[in-house]
């Protein structure tokens, strides 16, 4: 199962080429950008939310301050009016007509005053403005505030908005300010109570006209937490809406978060001087959120566009980077199939340019080497063929057969059989079933056969010795490398000598090489000729008896087969002799 | 080849993103300002409905929706109300809040609205339909029971009464009667002399009351089941000089009724909460538009008031609603 899954994943991987440079660049670039965009968006969002919230709180506070200021001045004006009435009463004998005038003027100036009343201690109306049919059902003496003022006349008492019951048939909503006044008649203190009723709709309008967002509103509570004003007072009395008035009551002026309705709201509390009221402004956080939603959408939009743009950009950038690499890749594929006639157009970024250049150089080198190998192989074949041809040189064969015939005529039959056997061995080893590599033992056998034949030809003109480290006999060597050297030694070294020539052959190991050494005591070779020996084509200047294959051939064959560090070394001193060193690897094929 | 494929993929992606963001942008731009709720009541100008309008406007303000308030000038003009609902449908209102003049006649047009995917919320007076599920208003049976209890409190458990009902067959009428009789059944000595129907007309109620007073001179009280009946009865009592002799237990709190209550002509009133009806009607209509689940029946409650308790701070708002800054429609004498 897991194997299947792995296989599938691998297929997808291969199909999508997720590891291709282009995709790696695109993916990593995209993810990095995505992360960056996310961080930027989130921090932007928070920044905006915070500032939006702060702004909302500040503006709510400013609005509440304004309302509070208005209410304060409203209350202060009420108190002023109350004081005017009071001051006209405190004079020892007050004139009812004068007071009536004052009330009339005040009522004319202040349209928001509904009623001004002066009550006697017993609750009778001494004077009122306007004058009307008093509500008989309304007993002012039973009211708490009236009793309170009789005891402490100097106090101001605010009555929360209520329905006025002063007149029959008239029930306006009013806010009342009541205060007692004491004056003395015949040394007797008499307490009067003044009441100023102001139209509540003014306060209502003050609160209603402010806008705390679309849904925000203001409500007012008195010092006991009773609702003085609420835009949906009916709902509150009906229990369909609740307000966290007690919480607001305990709060110091300021802004707080409130979620008692389950919705996050900002509650701003502010005191109204004198009256003991508190204004509470409610604004809804989700209206900010609506703004925030808009902002979110905006950010999202920008982010999406940025991501789209970024994907596109990274795609093109990665394509630009990877295109030369891909080109290189396809060219390499072609190379794999053996097509060397390719050259990458060198362009792209710095590294890729270098890579392309190196690739081109490499291809050129490979191509050159390939050609070299081909020519070398050809040469190898050619020189081998030459070496082989040398073995069946007709001249040599003729001379040898001539020697055999001559021996036969002299009835030297033993000599004949030796010669024939040697000749047969010579050719057997030369051919050696087409193998190029033979053992050192065979190579020496081949040389011995050759020397046997040549010794018969040349009589006692020379002697030879073979000195071999027997452990090396089984080592391998390129065939037919000693014979041409020895042929040279016989022809140019020992045969022109008047005394007996000596050819020494030795095989020894020299560190990781095997050293064949062929030395003669001939005339030696002059340095001029020596320097040309390995360069010159076949040294067949002496015609007869020469195999026609020179030292150069041997040298080249060794180098082709084993490498440049192997081959021939010719040391010669005129009148002393010549030594040819042949080196092949110890572990040669 | 691969390049072309990739480019086409990316182009498709881009188009998709543009499309999504376009949709997103649209949904952001579409604010709730465009929501339009039609409130159609029985009577555009009566004080009771003015307070319903106040509630509706308060809710409209709170939820940020446009409110259009309408209704015939005569509660019996069913045809006009049907036309108004038709107009609301034609104007593609997002929801209709309806106080039906007739529980049968408005069923078809309400169904038409529903078939056009316009939610219909009924307030005060519902319609006989299984499809219109939401009703917001006074529990009339409960209000009837309270009416009976107020009678017992003010007149006593042994009396002769006449019930001034309004339209036989109207749902609210039947339910109030049901509640009233439920309470009165517990008192053996309360005798219901007659039930009369004023057809929601003050003059009719007044004339009927005069007739009743002549017919049954020994009755102790008249129980009014709506504002018209109560007002008419009060007028007749004043006219016939029977104030105090024949007591009135009534329904609703028009300024006129309140004046009679204060002058002891009416002894007790069962007051509804029209503000809540308007407010909740719009609130639930708004929620219905947003496909939120809304309750089937919402009782806005009723309160018994008398001369004294009407000035209790918690009752003042019910009895003396603010109306557009004009604190009271009554004039200072």
């Amino acid at each position: 199962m897991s194997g299947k899954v792995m296989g599938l994943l691998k297929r997808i991987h291969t199909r999508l080429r997720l590891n291709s440079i282009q995709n790696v660049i695109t993916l990593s670039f995209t993810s990095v950008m995505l992360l960056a965009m996310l961080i930027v968006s989130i921090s932007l969002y928070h920044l905006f939310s915070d500032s939006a919230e702060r702004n909302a709180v500040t503006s709510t506070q400013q609005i509440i301050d304004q309302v509070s200021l208005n209410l304060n001045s409203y209350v202060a004006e009420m108190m002023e009016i109350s004081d005017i009435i009071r001051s006209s009463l405190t004079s020892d004998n007050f004139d009812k007509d004068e007071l009536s005038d004052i009330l009339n003027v005040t009522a004319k100036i202040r349209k928001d005053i509904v009623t001004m009343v002066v009550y006697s201690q017993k609750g009778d109306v001494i004077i009122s403005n306007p004058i009307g049919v008093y509500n008989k059902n309304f007993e002012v003496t039973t009211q708490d505030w009236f009793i309170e003022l009789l005891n402490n006349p100097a106090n101001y008492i605010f009555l929360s908005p209520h329905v006025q019951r002063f007149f029959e048939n008239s029930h306006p909503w009013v806010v009342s300010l009541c205060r007692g006044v004491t004056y003395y008649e015949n040394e007797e203190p008499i307490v009067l109570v003044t009441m100023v009723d102001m139209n509540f709709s003014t306060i209502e309008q003050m609160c209603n006209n402010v806008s705390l967002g679309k849904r925000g509103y203001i409500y007012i509570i008195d010092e006991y937490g009773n609702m003085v004003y609420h835009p949906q007072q009916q709902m509150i009395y009906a229990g369909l809406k609740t307000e966290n008035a007690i919480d607001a009551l305990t709060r110091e002026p300021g802004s707080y978060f409130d979620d008692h309705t389950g919705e996050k709201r900002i509650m701003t509390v502010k005191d109204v001087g004198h009256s003991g009221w508190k204004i509470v402004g409610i604004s809804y956080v989700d209206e900010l959120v609506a703004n925030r939603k808009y902002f979110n959408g905006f950010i999202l939009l920008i982010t999406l566009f940025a991501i789209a743009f970024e994907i596109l950009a990274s795609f093109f950038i990665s394509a630009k980077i990877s295109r030369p690499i891909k080109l290189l890749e396809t060219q390499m594929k072609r190379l794999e199939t053996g097509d060397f006639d390719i050259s990458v157009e060198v362009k792209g970024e710095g590294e890729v340019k270098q890579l392309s250049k190196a690739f081109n150089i490499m291809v050129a080198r490979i191509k050159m080497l390939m050609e070299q190998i081909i020519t070398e192989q050809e040469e190898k074949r050619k020189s081998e063929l030459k070496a082989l041809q040398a073995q069946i040189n007709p001249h040599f064969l003729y001379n040898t057969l001539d020697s055999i015939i001559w021996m036969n005529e002299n009835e030297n039959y033993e000599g004949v059989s030796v010669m024939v056997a040697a000749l047969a061995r010579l050719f057997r080893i030369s051919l050696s079933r087409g193998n190029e590599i033979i053992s050192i033992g065979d190579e020496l056998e081949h040389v011995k056969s050759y020397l046997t034949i040549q010794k018969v030809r040349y009589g006692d003109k020379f002697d030879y010795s073979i000195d071999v480290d027997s452990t090396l006999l089984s080592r391998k060597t390129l065939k037919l490398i000693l014979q041409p050297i020895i042929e040279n030694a016989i022809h140019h070294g020992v045969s022109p000598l008047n005394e007996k020539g000596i050819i020494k052959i030795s095989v020894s190991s020299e560190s990781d090489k095997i050293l064949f050494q062929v030395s003669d005591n001939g005339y030696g070779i002059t340095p001029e000729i020596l320097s040309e020996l390995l360069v010159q084509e076949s040294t067949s200047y002496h015609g007869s008896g020469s195999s026609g294959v020179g030292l150069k051939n041997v040298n080249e064959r060794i180098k082709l087969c084993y490498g440049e560090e192997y081959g021939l070394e010719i040391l010669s001193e005129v009148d002393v002799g010549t030594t040819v060193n042949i080196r092949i690897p110890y572990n040669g094929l | 080849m691969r390049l072309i494929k990739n480019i086409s993929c990316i182009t498709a992606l881009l188009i998709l993103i543009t499309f999504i963001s376009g949709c997103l942008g649209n949904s952001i731009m579409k604010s709730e300002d465009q929501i339009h709720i039609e409130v159609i009541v029985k009577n555009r100008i009566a004080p009771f409905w003015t307070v319903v309008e106040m509630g509706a406007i308060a809710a409209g303000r709170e939820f940020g929706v446009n409110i259009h308030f309408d209704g015939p000038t005569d509660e019996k003009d069913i045809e006009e109300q049907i036309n108004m609902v038709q107009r609301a449908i034609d104007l593609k209102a997002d929801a209709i809040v309806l106080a039906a003049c007739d529980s049968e006649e408005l069923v078809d047009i309400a169904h038409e609205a529903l078939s056009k995917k316009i939610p219909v919320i009924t307030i005060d007076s519902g319609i006989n339909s299984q499809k219109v599920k939401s009703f917001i208003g006074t529990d009339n049976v409960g209000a009837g029971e309270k009416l009976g209890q107020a009678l017992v409190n003010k007149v006593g458990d042994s009396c002769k009464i006449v019930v001034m009902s309004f339209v036989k067959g109207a749902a609210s009428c039947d339910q109030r009667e049901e509640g009233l009789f439920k309470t009165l059944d517990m008192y053996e000595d309360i005798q219901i002399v007659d039930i009369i129907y004023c057809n929601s007309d003050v003059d009719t109620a007044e004339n009927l009351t005069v007739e009743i007073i002549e017919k049954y001179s020994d009755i102790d009280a008249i129980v009014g089941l709506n504002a018209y009946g109560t007002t008419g009865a009060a007028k007749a009592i004043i006219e016939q000089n029977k104030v105090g002799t024949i007591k009135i237990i009534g329904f609703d709190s028009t300024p006129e009724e309140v004046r009679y209550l204060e002058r002891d002509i009416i002894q007790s009133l069962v007051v509804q909460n029209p503000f809540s009806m308007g407010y909740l009607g719009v609130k639930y209509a708004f929620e219905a538009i947003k496909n939120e689940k809304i309750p089937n029946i919402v009782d806005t409650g009723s309160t018994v008031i008398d001369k004294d308790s009407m000035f209790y701070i918690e009752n003042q708002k019910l009895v003396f609603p603010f109306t557009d800054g004009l604190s009271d429609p009554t004039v200072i004498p």
Side-chain angles (χ1 to χ4, degrees), chain B residues 31-243:
Chain B
S31 75
E32 285 156 356
D33 265 339
Q34 287 153 325
I35 292 180
H36 168 77
I37 295 175
E38 196 78 26
V39 182
I40 298 166
V41 298
K42 285 176 167 182
N43 186 327
R44 190 167 61 229
I45 49 174
F48 180 88
W49 297 109
T50 318
V51 181
V52 170
E53 185 180 4
M54 283 165 56
I57 287 168
R61 201 175 157 211
E62 182 169 336
F63 300 111
V65 294
N66 281 337
I67 303 294
H68 181 248
F69 186 81
D70 209 351
T73 48
D74 180 359
E75 216 163 286
K76 289 175 284 297
D77 197 347
I78 298 166
E79 205 55 46
E80 175 65 14
Q81 197 182 36
I82 291 171
N83 289 341
M84 284 171 172
V85 177
Q86 183 63 57
R87 224 172 8 253
I89 293 169
D90 293 343
L91 286 170
K92 295 188 170 59
D94 292 293
I96 295 172
V97 178
L98 178 69
C101 285
D102 189 286
S103 58
E104 301 294 342
E105 298 284 331
L106 279 122
V107 169
D108 287 344
I109 194 78
H111 284 178
E112 192 187 328
L114 289 178
S115 72
K116 301 239 165 91
K117 302 261 181 268
I118 301 173
V120 176
I121 310 282
T122 52
I123 58 170
D124 182 60
S125 314
I127 52 172
N128 283 335
S129 163
Q130 293 297 308
K131 291 183 190 166
V132 177
K133 282 183 185 139
S134 271
F135 172 76
I136 297 154
T138 309
D139 169 16
N140 282 309
V141 177
E145 285 174 34
K146 283 179 186 167
L147 205 56
Q149 204 54 56
L151 174 76
V152 173
N153 290 344
K154 290 293 174 188
V155 187
D157 55 5
S158 170
C159 54
K160 282 184 172 178
I161 61 160
V162 169
V163 175
M164 174 66 74
S165 192
F166 46 109
V167 180
K168 203 179 173 102
S172 55
C173 179
D174 293 349
Q175 286 161 359
R176 284 175 201 174
E177 281 177 16
E178 184 193 332
L180 176 65
F181 296 153
K182 212 165 158 188
T183 308
L184 297 188
D185 279 352
M186 293 189 289
Y187 301 94
E188 287 173 8
D189 297 334
I190 294 177
Q191 191 190 338
I192 300 164
V193 179
D194 207 347
I195 302 174
I196 46 180
Y197 295 90
C198 70
N199 206 21
S200 282
D201 185 74
V202 176
D203 294 338
T204 313
E206 192 180 342
N207 296 337
L208 284 172
T209 309
V210 171
E211 281 172 29
I212 282 289
I213 292 168
E214 283 168 4
K215 205 166 159 192
Y216 314 103
S217 54
D218 60 340
I219 54 164
D220 299 303
I222 297 172
V223 178
L225 291 191
N226 73 353
Y228 303 103
T230 309
T231 311
K235 280 183 164 177
I237 293 289
I238 297 166
E239 196 184 301
Q240 296 294 310
N241 233 342
K242 293 282 185 186
V243 175

Side-chain angles (χ1 to χ4, degrees), chain A residues 403-589:
Chain A
S403 299
I404 292 169
I405 291 162
W406 179 75
M407 271 193 257
N408 193 37
E409 278 171 7
N410 286 322
E411 293 174 3
N412 182 4
Y413 302 119
E414 199 184 340
V416 171
S417 86
V418 167
M419 278 291 269
V420 172
L423 192 65
R425 209 162 46 237
L426 187 82
F427 284 124
R428 183 175 54 79
I429 293 168
S430 286
L431 294 169
S432 61
R433 293 197 205 95
N435 285 340
E436 218 177 312
I437 307 293
I438 56 172
S439 67
I440 290 176
D442 281 345
E443 178 70 9
L444 289 175
E445 204 60 37
H446 178 261
V447 168
K448 270 181 204 157
S449 308
Y450 178 71
L451 282 169
T452 307
I453 293 165
Q454 291 296 57
K455 211 157 170 333
V456 171
R457 258 202 73 197
Y458 286 96
D460 286 335
K461 272 217 98 87
F462 70 88
D463 268 335
Y464 71 92
S465 66
I466 295 172
D467 174 26
V468 61
D469 179 354
S470 60
T471 57
L472 295 174
L473 286 175
S474 58
R475 293 273 139 206
K476 300 289 181 192
T477 178
L478 196 63
K479 71 177 178 187
L480 310 182
I481 54 171
L482 282 175
Q483 185 268 334
I485 314 294
I486 291 163
E487 191 182 336
N488 255 325
I490 294 169
H491 281 304
H492 308 298
V494 295
S495 73
L497 279 180
N498 294 324
E499 73 262 24
K500 199 166 189 158
I502 293 163
I503 293 171
K504 282 183 189 157
I505 299 159
S506 76
V507 186
S508 61
S509 59
E510 183 187 61
S511 70
D512 61 339
K513 290 172 181 149
I514 294 172
L515 173 68
F516 297 88
Q517 217 165 21
V518 179
S519 45
D520 62 61
N521 55 346
Y523 283 127
I525 306 159
T526 55
E528 299 88 64
I529 297 167
L530 191 65
S531 65
E532 282 176 19
L533 261 178
L534 291 176
V535 187
Q536 222 176 347
E537 235 354 272
S538 160
T539 52
S540 55
Y541 52 86
H542 40 76
S544 69
S546 166
S547 63
V549 178
L551 300 178
K552 184 171 173 263
N553 178 282
V554 175
N555 190 32
E556 276 171 1
R557 275 170 56 218
I558 289 171
K559 282 189 194 300
L560 278 173
C561 190
Y562 296 120
E564 280 301 316
E565 55 180 309
Y566 304 99
L568 259 60
E569 183 191 25
I570 304 169
L571 309 164
S572 185
E573 209 177 316
V574 179
D575 290 336
V576 175
T578 306
T579 302
V580 178
N581 290 334
I582 307 167
R583 287 185 179 84
I584 60 161
Y586 186 82
N587 285 316
L589 289 166

